[in-house]
Amino acid sequence: QVQLVESGGGLVQPGGSLKLSCVTSGFTLDYYAMGWFRQAPGKEREGVSCINNSGVMTYYADTVKGRFTISRDNAKNTVYLQMNTLKPEDTAVYYCARPSYCSEDGPLGPADYWGQGTQVTVSS
């Protein structure tokens, strides 16, 4: 069955960096766009970034543009989210997901599969 397993979350100081990974299984990653969502306590879920199946097209929410970079390695069945210059407002649970579409202008399409989430906490 389809599985998405995130890792790489943790506690980091403001201005620091983290790299999230999402290992996928149960489907052919080459055929699908992938994305990252996040949800902070008391806030709605936000589509952060997505990447098309070949990796040549990406989308970023305005809140993370210029700081986060999404990438993928289809041979390793893995999607990444490099997060730099982290801010306290980036604190959230981050979810890897398989959106129905990913366009340059966003937002991410609704997702049919989700990972379990990984906690990112930005605090001094």
Side-chain angles (χ1 to χ4, degrees):
Q1 75 268 26
V2 172
Q3 286 191 313
L4 309 176
V5 180
E6 304 101 332
S7 62
L11 173 64
V12 63
Q13 291 187 343
S17 297
L18 282 175
K19 186 173 185 177
L20 306 183
S21 298
C22 172
V23 177
T24 70
S25 60
F27 66 102
T28 304
L29 183 61
D30 307 50
Y31 296 162
Y32 292 90
M34 293 295 295
W36 291 91
F37 294 77
R38 68 185 180 184
Q39 188 162 23
K43 294 189 175 182
E44 289 190 359
R45 186 167 56 203
E46 175 187 19
V48 172
S49 179
C50 65
I51 186 168
N52 76 336
N53 64 317
S54 64
V56 299
M57 190 276 291
T58 57
Y59 160 80
Y60 298 95
D62 288 343
T63 50
V64 305
K65 198 172 295 183
R67 301 186 297 119
F68 289 13
T69 302
I70 191 170
S71 61
R72 62 193 293 158
D73 186 337
N74 288 344
K76 295 183 177 180
N77 293 318
T78 304
V79 182
Y80 305 97
L81 186 68
Q82 176 69 47
M83 305 185 295
N84 297 330
T85 320
L86 283 161
K87 305 175 181 180
E89 51 264 42
D90 294 317
T91 295
V93 178
Y94 283 71
Y95 298 92
C96 175
R98 195 176 78 175
S100 56
Y101 58 84
C102 173
S103 65
E104 240 176 351
D105 298 325
L108 282 69
D112 56 357
Y113 289 99
W114 298 83
Q116 81 286 355
T118 185
Q119 176 71 47
V120 171
T121 303
V122 185
S123 174
S124 54

